[in-house]
Amino acid sequence: GAMERMDTQHKIDPALYPSLVEKWRAANPNIVAMWDKIGAAALSCVRTGAAQKTYGLRFEYVYTPHGQTYMTIQLPSGRKLYYPRPHITTNRWDHPSLAYWGTDQNTKKWLPIETYGGKLTENVVQAIARDCLVVAMQRLDAKGYNIVMHIHDEVVIDAAPDQTLDDVNAIMGEPVPWAPDLPLKAAGSELKYYQKD
């Protein structure tokens, strides 16, 4: 499915998708192992109700006073991702799989959504990137930079003449308190009007 979504211009023969996926996985065993560990932690958390930890993440099965259940993933920043009404199901390969209730991106209906380690990893990575950006934006704001908008990992600043791109990049590349060893780097451009590159 991922190969099909990435091949937006239909330049790859769909018959080649499985072999390309296997080659990519063979070339990136550490990433595949991370997907597997994150998926296993989520399944174990929901199956047993016991908290699980892996890669600095904490998985918990939570009951609210109103009878709702969630699986949460606590990020290194302390913020949590919430997966409502988590449950174990069986996927198309007849293996145990995690599902939760959410909004289907196509139909916009509230229904059970199956997930897996790779997708949970994507959620976590994007959330950690967002948390890094928030720290950088707070630092920029504290130093007087006028942030007019942000898009994903991008900050748009209406800069004063004495503010430099090098200074902005340096601020955005500073370590975050909850992941001091995480290497961060920023790059940008100076333009009269906003544009995508």
Side-chain angles (χ1 to χ4, degrees), residues 168-179:
V168 170
N169 289 341
I171 293 166
M172 291 188 72
E174 292 174 7
V176 293
W178 39 264

Side-chain angles (χ1 to χ4, degrees), residues 142-163:
K143 293 195 177 181
Y145 289 89
N146 181 22
I147 300 169
V148 293
M149 68 177 176
H150 62 93
I151 308 98
H152 302 294
D153 62 348
E154 181 179 0
V155 176
V156 179
I157 296 171
D158 184 11
D162 62 331
Q163 296 174 326

Side-chain angles (χ1 to χ4, degrees), residues 6-21:
M6 288 187 287
D7 186 20
T8 57
Q9 297 180 359
H10 308 290
K11 292 185 175 185
I12 302 171
D13 179 355
L16 296 176
Y17 291 169
S19 66
L20 292 172
V21 167

Side-chain angles (χ1 to χ4, degrees), residues 39-108:
L43 280 171
S44 181
C45 173
V46 172
R47 185 180 288 127
T48 67
Q52 305 292 317
K53 289 184 179 179
T54 190
Y55 293 106
L57 306 169
R58 181 177 170 84
F59 297 75
E60 291 184 300
Y61 192 80
V62 179
Y63 295 91
T64 70
H66 303 292
Q68 297 295 320
T69 57
Y70 296 90
M71 181 190 74
T72 64
I73 303 175
Q74 185 171 352
L75 304 169
S77 66
R79 188 167 68 96
K80 292 182 179 181
L81 303 179
Y82 285 79
Y83 296 84
R85 295 169 56 186
H87 56 282
I88 306 297
T89 186
T90 303
N91 65 20
R92 62 181 173 252
W93 297 284
D94 206 31
H95 294 118
S97 178
L98 177 65
Y100 64 95
W101 280 74
T103 305
D104 180 85
Q105 291 182 358
N106 298 319
T107 66
K108 307 298 183 207

